Amino acid sequence: MWLGEQSRLQSGDDVSSPARRPKQDAVEVGTRKQLFIDDSFFASSRGLELAVNNPITTGIAIKADKPWEKGGLQSYHTIVPDPAAGHIKMYYMCFVREPGAKPNRRHILCCATSTDGIHWEKPNLGLIDFHGNKENNIVMIAMPNSEVPTYNELGQVVIDPRDVPERRYKMLYLTDPAAIMGAYSDDGYRWTIGNEGQPITRALADSQNMFLWDDSIDRWVGYFRYWGATRRVCRIETEDFWSWPFLHQEDIVLAPDALDVYDKHLDGAFHRAGKVLDRRQNKTRYSLDNPPEKFFWSTDNPDDLDGVDFYNQPVIKYPFAEKAYVMPFSAFYHPPDLLEIQLAVSRDGIHWDRPGDRQPWIRMPLEDDDKTRRMYASPGVVRSGNKLYHYHTAIEQYHGASAPGEYEIEKMPDYIGQIRRTELRLDGYVSASAGNLEGGFVTPPIVFAGKRLELNVDTSASGYVEVELLDIYGSAPLGYQLKKFTREDCDRIISNSTCRTVTWNGNSDVSALAGKPIRMHVRMRNARLYAFQFVE
């Protein structure tokens, strides 16, 4: 997104002029880190771009190589750092391939662990019997002909430090027959179905339904798939994890729009190749009391399909900065039958932007070497120093299981799928970026605490960043002691650092301005600015 010369004051005005008297409420930033994921900190700007930064794929975390994983790794997984246990847990789905069974697959949920986010182990947990042997890392399994709900599809796992230790792990998952259930655990391995074995919501939403505790509103927040003309993402809230509201159209927060249509029309859940495959296509709200008739997901003529659906919704409330939510969701493009990972960002988890002109956040690998056709990101992030690790499944299999026109589970190869790790710079999802021509911005009024200003910045060798501190009118009166923090006095920053301290004639102490409304005026060239923070 090019910011060009947009301004919340008035385009073309000199915001440094004392004559300007804008009336704006100051933004309280305290000592909390602030990301440049959108234009919230641009009251006026020129020559800048909000650039989406792509992570780098750095290796394979998990691959199917155990007998119980013969059916292959499947779409969904989740990452759960557990500092108390001294490791990170990864929950991932597999299919069990069992000859002669109809269908010849059922889901299992496995758990791997890592101390560094790079090297992963599959511990022998001794919990679930698989063909007479409990030496495996299975934590849940679908049991044929079971009279109680059994695991079918992973939602998400989180650690809830507010609950008693016996219930500190919480899981949301889909059962077979379809119902959304909740479970709890003290160690993340041994799970107990909660809510007296009853569903925690009457909504029927497949895909990887997510939830998190949002401490900014002190409520559980869920991101579920919504059925309709297209697959969309809705958001619901609850104070009680064991009781979630139903899904309604007004809960939709992210959906395909006109910019996603690339040929004729958007293809929906109830129409394939011009045929109505569900006789109850007018029923868009289903529940356990009102289940849909069986309908098909595929067609023998994929060239007839058009449009895009949004699949899993892995929302992460970014833990290392304030008011930052990211969603590396999967966009399913019908004619090529491919799923790629795009990025959505938000300040509140409700209003979402899709920066980067709908370009993939994680691109499809070269098909010369890699036949990946589906990718799904995990709802979870691991920090290692100044790096962020994200994980995604990469499956060399079409959405309909086999090649277009076949769609037969029996033709799926054994041991397919991988979970891959990507690396991203700390805070590095989106940056305020300037090219070879100098650009800059002025912030709205902000009120900070602390003594120093730090930037997460990359200037390159030919670039620079300069910062001056202004009063809310864009001037530097003696009463605010701002004259020592002018652009002329700023020591030019030429650096690639996640915590570069700004100085003015060697002085970094800005505590005299703490608690007072000011503006930052930043000028930059050949530079990327990811975040700022006032620190003690």
Side-chain angles (χ1 to χ4, degrees):
M1 177 193 310
W2 281 99
L3 298 177
E5 298 184 0
Q6 46 183 286
S7 168
R8 287 204 181 102
L9 301 179
Q10 184 175 333
S11 181
D13 286 337
D14 180 4
V15 297
S16 65
S17 171
R20 293 291 301 163
R21 295 293 187 270
K23 295 182 179 180
Q24 289 181 273
D25 293 333
V27 179
E28 297 278 352
V29 299
T31 57
R32 300 174 297 276
K33 183 182 290 185
Q34 309 296 325
L35 302 189
F36 291 101
I37 57 174
D38 59 16
D39 63 356
S40 295
F41 287 102
F42 302 132
S44 179
S45 63
R46 180 174 296 130
L48 294 181
E49 177 190 12
L50 282 175
V52 173
N53 303 299
N54 303 99
I56 300 172
T57 302
T58 52
I60 298 172
I62 295 289
K63 61 181 179 181
D65 56 10
K66 302 294 185 181
W68 53 91
E69 299 170 342
K70 185 176 181 180
L73 300 187
Q74 286 307 300
S75 309
Y76 308 132
H77 63 297
T78 185
I79 304 296
V80 187
D82 188 350
H87 62 226
I88 307 156
K89 288 185 174 71
M90 176 192 293
Y91 299 88
Y92 62 96
M93 292 172 54
C94 290
F95 282 151
V96 176
R97 189 175 291 281
E98 296 171 314
K102 294 296 183 180
N104 72 343
R105 63 175 185 173
R106 54 191 173 110
H107 294 85
I108 61 172
L109 182 63
C110 299
C111 183
T113 61
S114 174
T115 57
D116 58 8
I118 300 174
H119 306 93
W120 292 86
E121 298 180 354
K122 300 176 181 179
N124 287 329
L125 300 177
L127 300 176
I128 304 295
D129 182 272
F130 180 78
H131 293 181
N133 192 339
K134 290 187 177 182
E135 293 187 2
N136 56 61
N137 65 331
I138 303 173
V139 297
M140 279 192 180
I141 189 168
M143 302 302 294
N145 304 316
S146 173
E147 295 181 358
V148 298
T150 61
Y151 170 80
N152 184 51
E153 194 166 81
L154 175 65
Q156 189 170 359
V157 179
V158 303
I159 293 178
D160 180 7
R162 298 165 303 102
D163 207 340
V164 296
E166 293 77 14
R167 295 194 300 268
R168 72 187 192 101
Y169 274 87
K170 287 183 170 61
M171 179 194 296
L172 182 151
Y173 67 102
L174 196 70
T175 65
D176 189 11
I180 294 178
M181 307 292 293
Y184 60 88
S185 172
D186 63 344
D187 60 4
Y189 300 130
R190 299 161 180 85
W191 290 90
T192 301
I193 300 174
N195 202 35
E196 299 181 344
Q198 297 301 308
I200 62 175
T201 176
R202 307 302 290 185
L204 180 60
D206 68 340
S207 186
Q208 188 174 9
N209 301 298
M210 317 291 181
F211 72 99
L212 57 89
W213 175 260
D214 195 330
D215 54 9
S216 65
I217 59 174
D218 288 333
R219 293 174 69 89
W220 291 104
V221 176
Y223 294 88
F224 288 58
R225 172 185 283 184
Y226 182 86
W227 284 98
T230 58
R231 295 171 176 88
R232 293 163 283 181
V233 178
C234 69
R235 175 188 179 277
I236 52 179
E237 300 178 10
T238 183
E239 295 180 352
D240 180 6
F241 171 77
W242 304 106
S243 178
W244 291 80
F246 197 71
L247 312 179
H248 298 287
Q249 188 168 354
E250 54 267 28
D251 299 321
I252 296 172
V253 294
L254 187 69
D257 57 28
L259 296 178
D260 292 306
V261 182
Y262 55 89
D263 189 9
K264 300 175 183 177
H265 61 277
L266 284 177
D267 181 59
F270 310 108
H271 297 79
R272 293 291 185 267
K275 293 183 178 180
V276 178
L277 297 181
D278 189 326
R279 296 177 182 177
R280 299 169 65 182
Q281 68 270 25
N282 294 324
K283 299 283 187 180
T284 59
R285 295 181 182 177
Y286 291 131
S287 71
L288 294 179
D289 300 323
N290 179 31
E293 297 177 14
K294 182 179 180 180
F295 52 85
F296 301 95
W297 306 101
S298 312
T299 175
D300 289 336
N301 188 9
D303 292 335
D304 291 337
L305 302 183
D306 182 40
V308 59
D309 281 318
F310 291 170
Y311 273 51
N312 68 320
Q313 43 275 349
V315 174
I316 301 167
K317 188 175 188 294
Y318 186 61
F320 311 116
E322 184 182 43
K323 296 181 179 179
Y325 301 75
V326 296
M327 186 198 307
F329 67 97
S330 294
F332 175 39
Y333 290 89
H334 287 272
D337 205 341
L338 299 174
L339 286 100
E340 69 181 15
I341 297 173
Q342 299 184 12
L343 183 68
V345 297
S346 174
R347 291 287 180 185
D348 57 10
I350 302 172
H351 306 92
W352 292 87
D353 294 323
R354 295 168 62 189
D357 195 30
R358 315 296 170 93
Q359 297 300 305
W361 190 57
I362 299 178
R363 303 193 71 88
M364 286 286 180
L366 282 172
E367 64 179 14
D368 301 359
D369 308 313
D370 191 323
K371 300 302 181 183
T372 294
R373 297 179 176 94
R374 292 191 288 138
M375 299 191 297
Y376 306 84
S378 163
V381 61
V382 173
R383 178 176 177 178
S384 177
N386 294 322
K387 295 179 180 178
L388 300 175
Y389 296 158
H390 281 266
Y391 303 83
H392 66 275
T393 47
I395 303 175
E396 59 274 27
Q397 169 200 20
Y398 291 99
H399 176 260
S402 296
E406 296 177 353
Y407 297 105
E408 297 179 19
I409 299 298
E410 289 75 9
K411 294 188 178 181
M412 290 169 52
D414 293 337
Y415 296 106
I416 63 170
Q418 300 172 343
I419 297 176
R420 297 174 180 172
R421 176 174 55 91
T422 64
E423 291 184 5
L424 185 71
R425 178 195 188 98
L426 181 69
D427 313 326
Y429 301 97
V430 182
S431 58
S433 300
N436 198 47
L437 296 178
E438 184 182 85
F441 64 91
V442 175
T443 69
I446 60 175
V447 176
F448 71 90
K451 298 179 180 179
R452 295 180 292 112
L453 171 61
E454 289 184 350
L455 304 180
N456 187 339
V457 62
D458 178 7
T459 67
S460 74
S462 62
Y464 58 81
V465 170
E466 296 171 339
V467 181
E468 66 178 343
L469 304 181
L470 311 171
D471 68 12
I472 62 172
Y473 308 117
S475 58
L478 289 174
Y480 265 11
Q481 303 178 18
L482 289 173
K483 284 195 171 180
K484 65 176 68 175
F485 304 112
T486 64
R487 179 185 178 186
E488 290 73 21
D489 292 326
C490 182
D491 299 314
R492 177 171 282 188
I493 296 171
I494 303 175
S495 176
N496 184 2
S497 172
T498 59
C499 53
R500 177 63 156 80
T501 298
V502 182
T503 60
W504 293 265
N505 292 325
N507 174 43
S508 64
D509 188 358
V510 296
S511 58
L513 305 178
K516 302 171 182 178
I518 66 163
R519 296 179 189 265
M520 289 195 306
H521 178 205
V522 178
R523 303 297 294 178
M524 48 197 292
R525 174 178 181 266
N526 282 347
R528 296 184 176 186
L529 189 57
Y530 303 91
F532 73 91
Q533 183 177 14
F534 290 90
V535 298
E536 294 292 343

